[in-house]
């Protein structure tokens, strides 16, 4: 049987145009479109679970929530028996980047709807770094076409750290002000330039002011452990939330200052367990805590889940199920000033709900959005047509030349037999890195890698303007033992090409291959291509189905394991090595960057 098209889940009329009809349904004067009977209502407003509840839906919105909806059942009303199962509001992801899933907004939605996500707040600053404002508009328009609520935050920092990197585009205060007039822009994306905010940088203060004037939410990103004056200056500058905390004291500090503490569980960032202790052990009010994913790999989405995975994990850390669900529903809705639209099962709200058989395990049997069933038994019930990206969004990898092994040579100081170098240290399951040092041998005037001590080479290759520029340095933590190299055109946030390898010839082959296919991620070993995920849209996203991309990504992960890499989701770690707004040490097209001082440093100590 053919699946229904997504058009059946078009966005309902505004509440103001439907209120009288909802009243008529609630009063029994008109029939509901759908009635779900005999459920256990997870009420996120009161914190209760109310047995024996009926829900009546009309025009894609909840009309009646109470003990008996018989009066709302008419000849054309569809009736579903929940059989005593839980009725849970559709889950919200408060902060995430679609591009990190390697797929388009459409494919991301296809992957997460069966897992109960019915609202997402996406920050497309990845495509913004490649294509600028037109790229943001592309994802904005695609988001509007989805059968679930995909709200867009206008990227705030492109480039993320002016002077320390050069992105493919630049966004201005005027661009932000323009975007605030678009129908689906919900606020300003994470303000990563936290030193700029604390220093009253006119671009940062101008963007924040434009957002506040539009009555929209300012997203935060304070990636520092310093909770002293720089933190206080940042909060005073206007950001309203933050997802970069890693400790309980980080979450507490943010909440005390009136911010929302966003706790993330992505594919490689595990920050919920440590911070949730502020609630489970510190008795901090949970109303100002929000769950999110930030970055989810396609394999995670397809095989493990999305916000259901985060809620399940939070419950396992000691939260009551209702409290965890509040952090993924009503808390998010209130933060974005959308509590009259989403985040709860209550009259007037969009009819986004889940039928759940096991609350603690978040076993989702059915998913409804806007009153239409979109998924059942973990499978989509509808078809969402692919979104057609224009040619201008492709062929964005411009190398300027064919790379050779010699482009990755690092010349030692004259006469040196050994050198001490700075090394980027990867921390498993966390976004920050460590600033390490290592003593490396010199062979024929060139600095050699030391794979026995887990020190291999990292190179950043400029790919937006075809300059042919290559920045070389060293990295530790991947554990590669064989001859290999992995290159990716996903390299937050400027998205040049990052290549990590133990063999320079393989490094050249890997980078050149990405130039041929228009971007993606590829792994070579001894001249042979072991795995490739093509991402032709801005060099960031595939145009294939999510499950196909997940299968290719799994092949990549397995190939990395065979090369000695045992890191959890090492690709995600790889993609953040150029993120010059998260401490401690990063690489950019400018050079090696100390993110504790926001200064370029020399490779040699």
């Amino acid at each position: 049987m053919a699946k229904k098209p997504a058009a059946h889940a078009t966005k309902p009329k505004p509440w103001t145009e439907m209120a009288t009809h909802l009243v008529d349904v609630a009063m029994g004067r008109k029939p509901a479109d759908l009635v779900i009977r005999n459920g256990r209502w997870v009420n996120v407003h009161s914190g209760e679970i109310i047995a024996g509840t009926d829900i009546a839906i009309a025009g894609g919105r909840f009309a009646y929530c109470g003990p008996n909806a018989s009066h709302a059942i008419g000849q054309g009303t569809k009736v579903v028996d929940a059989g005593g199962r839980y009725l849970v509001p559709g889950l919200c992801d408060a902060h995430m980047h679609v591009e990190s899933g390697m797929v388009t907004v459409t494919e991301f939605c296809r992957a997460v709807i069966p897992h109960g996500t019915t609202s997402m707040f996406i920050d497309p600053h990845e495509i913004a770094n490649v294509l600028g404002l037109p790229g943001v508009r592309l994802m904005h328009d695609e988001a509007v076409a989805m059968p679930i609520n995909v709200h867009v935050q206008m990227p705030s920092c492109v480039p993320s750290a002016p002077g320390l990197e050069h992105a493919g585009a630049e966004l201005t205060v005027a661009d932000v002000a323009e975007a605030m007039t678009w129908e689906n822009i919900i606020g300003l994306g994470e303000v990563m330039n936290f030193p700029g905010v604390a220093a009253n940088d006119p671009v940062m203060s101008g963007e924040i002011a434009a957002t506040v004037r539009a009555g929209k939410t300012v997203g935060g990103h304070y990636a520092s452990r310093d909770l002293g004056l720089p933190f206080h200056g940042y909060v005073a500058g206007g950001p309203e939330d933050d997802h970069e905390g890693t400790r309980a004291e980080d979450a507490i500090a943010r909440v005390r200052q009136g911010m929302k503490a966003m706790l993330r569980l992505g594919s490689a960032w595990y920050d919920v367990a440590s911070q949730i202790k502020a609630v489970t052990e510190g008795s901090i009010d949970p109303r100002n805590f929000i769950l999110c994913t930030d970055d989810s790999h396609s394999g995670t989405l397809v095989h493990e889940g999305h916000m259901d995975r985060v809620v399940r994990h939070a419950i396992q850390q000691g939260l009551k199920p209702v409290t965890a669900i509040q952090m993924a529903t009503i808390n998010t809705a209130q933060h974005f000033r959308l509590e009259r639209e989403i985040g709860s099962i209550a009259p007037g709200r969009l009819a986004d709900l889940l039928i759940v058989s096991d609350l603690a395990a978040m076993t989702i049997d059915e998913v409804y959005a806007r009153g239409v069933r979109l998924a059942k038994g973990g499978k989509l019930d509808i078809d969402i047509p692919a979104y057609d990206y224009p040619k201008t969004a492709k062929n964005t990898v411009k190398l300027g030349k064919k790379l050779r092994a010699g482009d990755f040579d690092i010349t030692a100081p004259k006469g040196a037999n050994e050198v001490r170098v700075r090394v980027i240290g990867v921390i498993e399951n966390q976004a920050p890195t460590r600033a390490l040092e290592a003593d490396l041998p010199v062979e024929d005037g060139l600095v050699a890698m030391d794979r026995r001590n887990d020190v291999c080479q990292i190179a950043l290759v400029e790919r937006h303007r075809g300059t042919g520029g290559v920045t070389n340095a060293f990295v530790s933590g991947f554990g590669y033992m064989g001859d290999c190299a992995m290159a990716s055109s996903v390299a937050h946030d400027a998205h040049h090409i990052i290549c990590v390898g133990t063999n320079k010839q393989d490094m050249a082959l890997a980078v050149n291959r990405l130039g041929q296919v228009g971007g993606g991620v590829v792994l070579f070993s001894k001249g042979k291509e072991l795995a490739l995920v093509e991402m032709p849209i801005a060099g960031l996203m595939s145009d294939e189905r999510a499950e196909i991309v997940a299968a290719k990504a799994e092949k990549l992960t397995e190939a990395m394991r065979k090369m000695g890499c045992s890191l959890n989701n090492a690709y995600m770690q790889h993609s953040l090595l150029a993120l010059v707004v998260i401490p401690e040490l990063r690489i950019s097209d400018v050079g090696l960057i100390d993110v504790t001082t926001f200064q370029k440093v020399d490779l040699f100590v």
Side-chain angles (χ1 to χ4, degrees):
M1 182 176 178
K3 292 180 177 180
K4 296 171 292 189
H8 284 265
T10 53
K11 192 169 183 177
K13 294 177 182 177
W15 174 84
T16 52
E17 297 179 20
M18 290 188 59
T20 56
H21 181 67
L22 295 176
V23 170
D24 284 340
V25 173
M27 292 296 293
R29 292 190 288 261
K30 290 184 179 179
D33 300 324
L34 170 67
V35 169
I36 300 176
R37 310 205 70 175
N38 189 27
R40 285 192 264 184
W41 178 17
V42 178
N43 192 309
V44 293
H45 291 287
S46 65
E48 302 170 281
I49 297 176
I50 305 168
T53 296
D54 289 358
I55 305 292
I57 295 168
R61 293 181 181 273
F62 296 116
Y64 170 88
C65 308
N68 188 345
S70 297
H71 62 285
I73 298 175
Q75 188 174 359
T77 303
K78 181 178 180 180
V79 179
V80 173
D81 185 2
R85 291 174 293 176
Y86 299 92
L87 306 179
V88 177
L91 304 179
C92 309
D93 191 347
H95 174 74
M96 46 92 62
H97 309 283
V98 164
E99 304 97 315
S100 293
M102 301 178 167
V103 294
T104 60
V105 176
T106 301
E107 288 306 310
F108 204 101
C109 289
R110 287 185 70 254
V112 304
I113 287 171
H115 294 290
T117 300
T118 60
S119 296
M120 300 191 297
F121 296 82
I122 72 172
D123 181 353
H125 71 211
E126 320 305 349
I127 200 169
N129 272 272
V130 180
L131 298 175
L133 193 61
V136 178
R137 186 76 209 204
L138 283 172
M139 292 189 72
H140 169 278
D141 292 351
E142 184 182 12
V144 171
M146 294 300 100
I148 61 173
N149 316 303
V150 184
H151 297 283
V152 181
Q153 293 178 290
M154 175 59 186
S156 62
C157 299
V158 178
S160 64
L164 297 180
E165 66 177 359
H166 299 96
E170 183 176 347
L171 295 180
T172 65
V173 175
D175 291 329
V176 170
E178 177 188 334
M180 290 300 148
T181 67
W182 298 353
E183 65 173 304
N184 200 34
I185 293 291
I186 197 67
L188 190 65
E190 54 181 311
V191 181
M192 296 177 286
N193 186 1
F194 53 91
V197 174
N200 278 328
D201 175 84
V203 173
M204 291 295 93
S205 59
E207 290 183 358
I208 292 171
T211 304
V212 174
R213 280 194 294 268
K216 299 183 179 183
T217 305
V218 179
H221 171 116
Y222 184 78
S224 173
R225 296 169 72 90
D226 183 354
L227 297 176
L229 291 183
F231 171 69
H232 289 273
Y234 181 74
V235 177
E240 299 174 70
D241 60 57
D242 186 47
H243 57 273
E244 289 296 336
T246 59
R247 308 166 297 175
E249 55 262 44
D250 294 330
I252 293 169
R254 286 151 175 79
V255 168
R256 284 176 176 170
Q257 295 294 322
M259 300 177 83
K260 296 295 189 294
M262 288 187 176
L263 316 186
R264 63 184 172 187
L265 179 73
S267 294
W269 331 132
Y270 285 53
D271 299 323
V272 174
S274 57
Q275 294 187 87
I276 206 64
K277 292 178 181 178
V279 174
T280 58
E281 298 178 9
S283 301
I284 298 295
D285 193 327
R287 289 179 298 173
N288 293 308
F289 287 73
I290 293 173
L291 296 176
C292 68
T293 64
D294 197 0
D295 290 302
S296 291
H297 186 276
S298 57
T300 302
L301 301 177
V302 171
H303 301 302
E304 299 179 42
H306 189 230
M307 284 306 297
D308 59 329
R309 171 176 175 261
V310 185
V311 171
R312 189 181 306 117
H313 176 74
I315 294 169
Q316 291 168 350
Q317 306 312 310
L319 276 185
K320 294 179 180 178
V322 173
T323 304
I325 291 168
Q326 288 171 322
M327 291 183 183
T329 56
I330 190 62
N331 292 10
T332 305
Q334 289 175 341
H335 177 55
F336 288 103
R337 304 172 178 87
L338 290 174
E339 62 268 28
R340 288 297 300 268
E341 286 289 293
I342 63 173
S344 67
I345 298 173
R349 279 69 171 178
L350 293 176
D352 303 338
L353 79 134
L354 319 175
I355 298 180
V356 175
S357 52
D358 186 327
L359 200 61
M362 283 303 293
T363 304
I364 299 171
D365 298 338
E366 298 182 36
V367 178
Y368 291 79
R370 305 169 185 175
V372 176
R373 194 179 73 186
L374 302 187
K376 181 178 181 180
K379 302 293 183 182
L380 272 179
D381 244 2
I382 62 165
D383 183 45
I384 309 175
Y387 192 82
D388 188 23
Y389 273 77
K391 290 182 180 179
T392 53
K394 301 176 182 179
N395 301 314
T396 62
V397 176
K398 302 175 178 67
L399 299 179
K401 66 179 183 181
K402 184 176 181 180
L403 276 292
R404 303 184 183 281
D407 290 309
F408 305 101
D409 287 344
I410 298 176
T411 303
K414 189 173 182 179
N417 294 317
E418 184 180 80
V419 292
R420 191 165 186 83
V421 298
R422 291 182 170 86
V423 178
I424 301 170
V426 173
I427 304 173
E428 187 164 22
N429 291 330
Q430 288 198 3
T433 63
R434 292 189 180 94
L436 306 177
E437 296 180 1
D439 294 315
L440 298 180
V442 175
E443 300 172 1
D444 299 323
L446 301 178
V447 183
M449 293 174 257
D450 185 4
R451 69 178 71 171
R452 289 177 301 176
N453 291 306
D454 192 20
V455 178
C456 58
Q457 197 160 324
I458 179 172
L460 185 141
V461 181
E462 199 282 331
R463 69 105 160 173
H464 297 305
R465 298 171 180 84
T467 65
V470 180
T471 302
N472 289 300
F474 295 97
V475 66
S476 177
F478 287 100
Y480 292 130
M481 296 302 293
D483 287 339
C484 66
M486 189 173 90
S488 171
S489 57
V490 178
H492 305 276
D493 274 330
H495 296 292
H496 296 291
I497 289 177
I498 284 183
C499 187
V500 172
T502 61
N503 179 283
K504 296 176 186 177
Q505 187 62 43
D506 285 332
M507 293 175 76
L509 290 169
V511 173
N512 290 330
R513 182 67 167 132
L514 294 186
Q516 293 172 353
V517 301
V521 56
V522 66
L523 180 65
F524 271 81
S525 177
K526 297 180 179 179
K528 181 181 177 181
E529 182 179 298
L530 301 185
L532 170 67
V533 184
E534 304 94 329
M535 300 185 218
I537 301 172
L540 301 172
M541 297 177 285
S542 171
D543 51 7
E544 295 184 294
R545 290 286 197 182
E547 53 269 27
I548 295 173
V549 178
K552 290 184 177 182
E554 179 55 37
K555 184 178 179 181
L556 172 72
T557 300
E558 183 57 34
M560 294 173 73
R561 289 195 195 103
K562 289 180 179 179
M563 292 297 105
C565 181
S566 60
L567 275 179
N568 174 53
N569 233 307
Y571 162 75
M572 301 294 280
Q573 301 280 7
H574 181 109
S575 70
L576 257 64
L577 292 172
L579 189 49
V580 293
V581 291
I582 298 183
E584 295 177 341
L585 192 63
R586 305 281 166 171
I587 191 172
S588 85
D589 61 310
V590 171
L592 204 58
I593 306 298
D594 182 337
V595 191
T596 62
T597 62
F598 282 86
Q599 292 181 342
K600 177 183 175 182
V601 294
D602 197 77
L603 174 63
F604 301 106
V605 179

